[in-house]
Amino acid sequence: MSEPGYPSGVLATLRRVLAVDAGGSKTDVILVDEEGQVLATSRGPGLGHDQSLDTCMSTLAALVAEVGNPVVAVVAACVANLDTPEQEELFAAAVARRGWGERVLVRNDTYAVLRGGVDGGSRHGIAVVCGSGINCLGVGPDGGTARFLAFGEHSGDWGGGNDIGRAGLWHASRAEDGRGEPTALRSALLRHLGRKSMRDVALDLKDGNLTDADVRGCTPVVFEWATGGDPVAVAIVRRQSDEICAMVRVVLNRLDLAEVGTTVVLGGGVVTSGHALLVDAVRAGIAGFSPDSTIVVTREPPVVGAALLGIDTLGERAPQAEHRLRSYYRSGITASS
């Protein structure tokens, strides 16, 4: 028997979730059913902050086409750079016009990291996303939220691959011309970029021969030499850990959770790439002002969190579906993980 308003056979299709996680460097789309079974996946370019809404929707439409242009019960999209409720509403309206889902749920990508990092019935905690940029979200037990504008330097933010890579290049340039202290980053970054001097690097950045992606690509070099003990590289990583801790401390205080503690989920490529120096420093820093908080580094890609946000709306089978979905990604059988 079909649901009123839908032709026969559509009801089964509607009991599915189209989940989207869109960051600055990549966009993941997965189609899952109410049991948590992954039916199709696609991956494509990120939705950058400098792209128009039409461009973002064209990119997303191509990825949705790869999973079969389904009609679903819920489209759950968690997107970087949607940093105000007004931006979320505009994006949600654009998704709704595509007709992919009966219901559309659009949130900043921090919500995907938070939901992906907490198992079972808990829906509160703090999420830090440290990828190409940085952002932080807190949700209290009463549903109250605390977050930042995350507009980059314009709103007082520092961190993520863009800023770490840029800091490495800044110190390397000053080491070359004598204004800064010597650092192994200079020769390491020149080898990485295939340039003979930091002067060449600066000119190529100015002329567009090196891009923001090239700058972000310098981040692993910074971490490599920080692990090796280079003082300048270590200082950059310490700055990143201090910024993460500062965000968490402020959100804990805003939600009155500092004394009781909560789950702090760390996500984004910079954090999940296995840099122990950074994660250990963050753990120690948070323990200093909220010893009862638990630090979790996400195990699955954030699109899992987006899918779980959608599955949560489908009712009684959500716990079993969550287990099945997490098991799928933890098994390593999909390239999306």
Side-chain angles (χ1 to χ4, degrees), residues 128-274:
V128 178
V129 179
C130 190
S132 57
I134 191 168
N135 202 352
C136 180
L137 162 76
V139 178
D142 62 354
T145 62
R147 57 194 288 189
F148 299 90
L149 282 177
F151 291 165
E153 62 181 6
H154 302 302
S155 56
D157 310 308
W158 189 91
N162 290 327
D163 287 339
I164 295 172
R166 192 174 294 113
L169 294 171
W170 187 86
H171 282 287
S173 291
R174 293 172 69 87
E176 180 170 286
D177 66 23
R179 287 178 292 173
E181 62 182 286
T183 171
L185 285 177
R186 175 181 172 272
S187 57
L189 289 171
L190 288 177
R191 286 194 301 272
H192 173 73
L193 294 171
R195 301 300 192 274
K196 294 182 179 180
S197 70
M198 291 307 301
R199 182 178 187 276
D200 292 339
V201 171
L203 290 172
D204 281 342
L205 284 169
K206 180 179 180 296
D207 294 338
N209 296 320
L210 287 172
T211 66
D212 288 344
D214 293 313
V215 173
R216 287 195 298 274
C218 294
T219 297
V221 179
V222 174
F223 276 103
E224 177 185 355
W225 286 95
T227 302
D230 180 82
V232 170
V234 169
I236 295 172
V237 175
R238 291 293 182 184
R239 182 181 181 185
Q240 181 63 92
S241 68
D242 289 346
E243 288 292 324
I244 292 173
C245 290
M247 283 182 147
V248 172
R249 175 179 51 79
V250 169
V251 170
L252 281 167
N253 289 335
R254 288 181 183 175
L255 298 176
D256 294 324
L257 292 174
E259 293 186 4
V260 298
T262 191
T263 300
V264 180
V265 183
L266 306 178
V270 169
V271 174
T272 60
S273 295

